[in-house]
Amino acid sequence: QELKRHTTEIEGKDSLLSIYKSMQLSRQFENACNQQYMQGKIKGFMHLDNGQESIPALINAVLKKTDKKYSYYREHCHALASGVDPGKSKCVKEC
């Protein structure tokens, strides 16, 4: 029954479009980070999440407002999927 609820939540056109937009934003953000890293503008290590965009997008689609999400590794896309503004945040600060 719980699985059916989650499946129903992500079947609608608006929900699928939102998931797709989240995935696109994550890919574009990670590509921009990679460019900055390759130019030497981001120091330290860079752990990119390219190819994993669907995971944070789908997790965010099924979470309830009262749920808490903890990310421990490659968390940039999770932050973006949760609504963090990529232009105003410091979500790359750990790099």
Side-chain angles (χ1 to χ4, degrees):
Q1 187 176 22
E2 187 72 14
L3 180 60
K4 184 173 175 93
R5 179 181 69 83
H6 291 311
T7 303
T8 304
E9 288 173 358
I10 60 172
E11 284 181 345
K13 182 179 177 181
D14 290 338
S15 182
L16 292 172
L17 185 58
S18 177
I19 291 167
Y20 178 75
K21 286 179 179 180
S22 177
M23 291 168 57
Q24 285 293 320
L25 175 62
S26 293
R27 174 64 63 101
Q28 292 168 5
F29 183 82
E30 294 286 291
N31 286 342
C33 286
N34 188 45
Q35 288 177 345
Q36 297 292 311
Y37 181 74
M38 297 303 285
Q39 294 172 4
K41 296 179 180 177
I42 297 176
K43 307 294 182 197
F45 296 104
M46 175 61 69
H47 298 142
L48 297 176
D49 209 15
N50 282 343
Q52 304 297 316
E53 297 87 354
S54 63
I55 296 168
L58 288 167
I59 288 172
N60 191 63
V62 298
L63 286 177
K64 300 175 211 159
K65 296 278 185 194
T66 57
D67 289 338
K68 293 182 180 171
K69 178 168 62 171
Y70 294 93
S71 183
Y72 59 90
Y73 183 63
R74 297 183 183 187
E75 67 278 347
H76 305 120
C77 292
H78 285 279
L80 294 172
S82 297
V84 172
D85 184 337
K88 296 181 180 178
S89 72
K90 295 180 181 176
C91 68
V92 185
K93 189 171 176 109
E94 49 82 30
C95 293

